[in-house]
Short mmCIF file of all heavy atoms in Angstrom, two decimals:
data_model
loop_
_atom_site.label_atom_id
_atom_site.label_comp_id
_atom_site.label_asym_id
_atom_site.label_seq_id
_atom_site.Cartn_x
_atom_site.Cartn_y
_atom_site.Cartn_z
N LYS A 128 7.55 129.32 -108.73
CA LYS A 128 8.06 130.59 -108.23
C LYS A 128 7.74 130.78 -106.75
O LYS A 128 8.60 131.21 -105.96
CB LYS A 128 7.46 131.74 -109.05
CG LYS A 128 8.10 133.09 -108.76
CD LYS A 128 9.58 133.10 -109.14
CE LYS A 128 10.20 134.48 -108.91
NZ LYS A 128 11.66 134.46 -109.18
N THR A 129 6.51 130.45 -106.38
CA THR A 129 6.11 130.60 -104.98
C THR A 129 6.91 129.65 -104.08
O THR A 129 7.29 130.01 -102.96
CB THR A 129 4.60 130.32 -104.82
OG1 THR A 129 3.88 131.21 -105.65
CG2 THR A 129 4.16 130.49 -103.38
N LEU A 130 7.17 128.43 -104.59
CA LEU A 130 7.92 127.45 -103.80
C LEU A 130 9.37 127.86 -103.64
O LEU A 130 9.99 127.60 -102.61
CB LEU A 130 7.83 126.07 -104.47
CG LEU A 130 8.22 124.86 -103.64
CD1 LEU A 130 7.28 124.71 -102.45
CD2 LEU A 130 8.20 123.59 -104.47
N GLU A 131 9.92 128.51 -104.66
CA GLU A 131 11.33 128.91 -104.61
C GLU A 131 11.55 130.12 -103.71
O GLU A 131 12.53 130.19 -102.98
CB GLU A 131 11.83 129.21 -106.02
CG GLU A 131 13.32 129.53 -106.07
CD GLU A 131 13.82 129.69 -107.48
OE1 GLU A 131 13.00 129.81 -108.42
OE2 GLU A 131 15.05 129.71 -107.67
N GLU A 132 10.62 131.09 -103.76
CA GLU A 132 10.76 132.31 -102.97
C GLU A 132 9.48 132.59 -102.19
O GLU A 132 8.75 133.55 -102.48
CB GLU A 132 11.10 133.49 -103.88
CG GLU A 132 12.43 133.34 -104.61
CD GLU A 132 12.70 134.51 -105.53
OE1 GLU A 132 11.86 135.43 -105.61
OE2 GLU A 132 13.76 134.53 -106.18
N PRO A 133 9.17 131.76 -101.21
CA PRO A 133 7.93 131.98 -100.44
C PRO A 133 8.09 133.13 -99.46
O PRO A 133 9.22 133.49 -99.08
CB PRO A 133 7.76 130.65 -99.71
CG PRO A 133 9.16 130.14 -99.54
CD PRO A 133 9.91 130.59 -100.75
N PRO A 134 6.99 133.71 -99.01
CA PRO A 134 7.07 134.73 -97.95
C PRO A 134 7.68 134.12 -96.69
O PRO A 134 7.63 132.91 -96.48
CB PRO A 134 5.60 135.12 -97.73
CG PRO A 134 4.88 134.68 -98.97
CD PRO A 134 5.61 133.49 -99.47
N SER A 135 8.22 134.95 -95.85
CA SER A 135 8.93 134.46 -94.65
C SER A 135 8.01 133.71 -93.70
O SER A 135 8.47 132.90 -92.89
CB SER A 135 9.56 135.64 -93.91
OG SER A 135 8.55 136.58 -93.54
N TYR A 136 6.71 133.96 -93.79
CA TYR A 136 5.77 133.32 -92.86
C TYR A 136 5.14 132.05 -93.44
O TYR A 136 4.30 131.42 -92.80
CB TYR A 136 4.64 134.30 -92.50
CG TYR A 136 3.99 134.95 -93.70
CD1 TYR A 136 3.04 134.26 -94.46
CD2 TYR A 136 4.33 136.24 -94.09
CE1 TYR A 136 2.45 134.82 -95.58
CE2 TYR A 136 3.75 136.82 -95.21
CZ TYR A 136 2.81 136.11 -95.93
OH TYR A 136 2.23 136.68 -97.05
N ALA A 137 5.51 131.64 -94.64
CA ALA A 137 4.89 130.49 -95.30
C ALA A 137 5.81 129.28 -95.29
O ALA A 137 7.01 129.37 -95.61
CB ALA A 137 4.51 130.84 -96.73
N ILE A 138 5.27 128.15 -94.91
CA ILE A 138 5.97 126.85 -94.94
C ILE A 138 5.15 125.89 -95.79
O ILE A 138 3.95 125.73 -95.58
CB ILE A 138 6.13 126.26 -93.52
CG1 ILE A 138 6.90 127.23 -92.61
CG2 ILE A 138 6.85 124.90 -93.59
CD1 ILE A 138 8.36 127.39 -92.93
N PHE A 139 5.81 125.26 -96.76
CA PHE A 139 5.14 124.28 -97.61
C PHE A 139 5.66 122.88 -97.29
O PHE A 139 6.88 122.65 -97.29
CB PHE A 139 5.39 124.58 -99.09
CG PHE A 139 4.77 125.86 -99.56
CD1 PHE A 139 5.53 127.03 -99.65
CD2 PHE A 139 3.43 125.92 -99.90
CE1 PHE A 139 4.96 128.21 -100.08
CE2 PHE A 139 2.85 127.10 -100.32
CZ PHE A 139 3.62 128.26 -100.41
N ILE A 140 4.75 121.98 -96.99
CA ILE A 140 5.11 120.58 -96.75
C ILE A 140 4.37 119.72 -97.77
O ILE A 140 3.14 119.63 -97.75
CB ILE A 140 4.76 120.14 -95.32
CG1 ILE A 140 5.41 121.07 -94.29
CG2 ILE A 140 5.23 118.70 -95.09
CD1 ILE A 140 5.08 120.72 -92.85
N LEU A 141 5.11 119.14 -98.68
CA LEU A 141 4.55 118.30 -99.73
C LEU A 141 4.73 116.84 -99.33
O LEU A 141 5.78 116.46 -98.81
CB LEU A 141 5.24 118.56 -101.07
CG LEU A 141 5.51 120.03 -101.44
CD1 LEU A 141 6.18 120.12 -102.80
CD2 LEU A 141 4.22 120.84 -101.42
N ALA A 142 3.73 116.03 -99.57
CA ALA A 142 3.79 114.60 -99.23
C ALA A 142 3.44 113.78 -100.46
O ALA A 142 2.52 114.13 -101.21
CB ALA A 142 2.84 114.27 -98.09
N THR A 143 4.17 112.69 -100.67
CA THR A 143 3.91 111.84 -101.82
C THR A 143 4.36 110.40 -101.55
O THR A 143 5.31 110.17 -100.79
CB THR A 143 4.64 112.36 -103.08
OG1 THR A 143 4.39 111.49 -104.17
CG2 THR A 143 6.15 112.43 -102.85
N THR A 144 3.66 109.48 -102.20
CA THR A 144 4.07 108.08 -102.15
C THR A 144 4.88 107.71 -103.39
O THR A 144 5.42 106.61 -103.47
CB THR A 144 2.83 107.16 -102.09
OG1 THR A 144 1.95 107.48 -103.18
CG2 THR A 144 2.09 107.35 -100.77
N GLU A 145 4.96 108.64 -104.36
CA GLU A 145 5.66 108.35 -105.61
C GLU A 145 6.55 109.52 -105.99
O GLU A 145 6.20 110.34 -106.84
CB GLU A 145 4.66 108.03 -106.72
CG GLU A 145 3.75 106.85 -106.40
CD GLU A 145 2.81 106.51 -107.55
OE1 GLU A 145 3.29 106.28 -108.67
OE2 GLU A 145 1.60 106.48 -107.30
N LYS A 146 7.72 109.58 -105.36
CA LYS A 146 8.63 110.70 -105.57
C LYS A 146 9.09 110.82 -107.02
O LYS A 146 9.33 111.93 -107.52
CB LYS A 146 9.85 110.54 -104.64
CG LYS A 146 10.84 111.70 -104.73
CD LYS A 146 11.92 111.60 -103.67
CE LYS A 146 12.87 110.47 -103.93
NZ LYS A 146 14.04 110.50 -103.01
N HIS A 147 9.21 109.68 -107.71
CA HIS A 147 9.70 109.71 -109.08
C HIS A 147 8.75 110.42 -110.04
O HIS A 147 9.15 110.78 -111.15
CB HIS A 147 9.94 108.28 -109.58
CG HIS A 147 8.71 107.44 -109.63
ND1 HIS A 147 8.18 106.83 -108.49
CD2 HIS A 147 7.86 107.11 -110.64
CE1 HIS A 147 7.09 106.16 -108.82
NE2 HIS A 147 6.87 106.31 -110.11
N LYS A 148 7.51 110.67 -109.61
CA LYS A 148 6.55 111.37 -110.46
C LYS A 148 6.56 112.88 -110.23
O LYS A 148 5.88 113.62 -110.95
CB LYS A 148 5.14 110.83 -110.23
CG LYS A 148 4.94 109.41 -110.75
CD LYS A 148 3.49 108.98 -110.62
CE LYS A 148 3.29 107.57 -111.18
NZ LYS A 148 1.87 107.14 -111.06
N VAL A 149 7.31 113.33 -109.23
CA VAL A 149 7.43 114.76 -108.97
C VAL A 149 8.52 115.32 -109.89
O VAL A 149 9.62 114.76 -109.95
CB VAL A 149 7.78 115.03 -107.50
CG1 VAL A 149 7.89 116.52 -107.24
CG2 VAL A 149 6.73 114.41 -106.59
N ILE A 150 8.23 116.41 -110.57
CA ILE A 150 9.18 116.92 -111.57
C ILE A 150 10.46 117.41 -110.89
O ILE A 150 10.42 117.91 -109.76
CB ILE A 150 8.55 118.03 -112.43
CG1 ILE A 150 8.15 119.23 -111.57
CG2 ILE A 150 7.34 117.49 -113.19
CD1 ILE A 150 7.63 120.42 -112.40
N PRO A 151 11.60 117.28 -111.56
CA PRO A 151 12.90 117.64 -110.95
C PRO A 151 12.98 119.08 -110.46
O PRO A 151 13.66 119.36 -109.46
CB PRO A 151 13.90 117.40 -112.09
CG PRO A 151 13.24 116.39 -112.98
CD PRO A 151 11.77 116.70 -112.90
N THR A 152 12.32 120.01 -111.13
CA THR A 152 12.38 121.40 -110.70
C THR A 152 11.71 121.62 -109.35
O THR A 152 12.08 122.55 -108.61
CB THR A 152 11.72 122.31 -111.76
OG1 THR A 152 10.46 121.75 -112.14
CG2 THR A 152 12.60 122.44 -112.99
N ILE A 153 10.74 120.79 -109.02
CA ILE A 153 10.12 120.84 -107.68
C ILE A 153 11.05 120.19 -106.66
O ILE A 153 11.27 120.72 -105.56
CB ILE A 153 8.75 120.14 -107.68
CG1 ILE A 153 7.73 120.92 -108.52
CG2 ILE A 153 8.24 119.95 -106.25
CD1 ILE A 153 7.28 122.22 -107.91
#
Side-chain angles (χ1 to χ4, degrees):
K128 190 63 177 176
T129 302
L130 195 63
E131 184 175 13
E132 297 179 359
S135 59
Y136 51 78
I138 302 290
F139 294 98
I140 305 179
L141 317 180
T143 179
T144 54
E145 302 183 55
K146 183 172 70 172
H147 62 280
K148 291 186 178 180
V149 180
I150 62 175
T152 47
I153 292 288

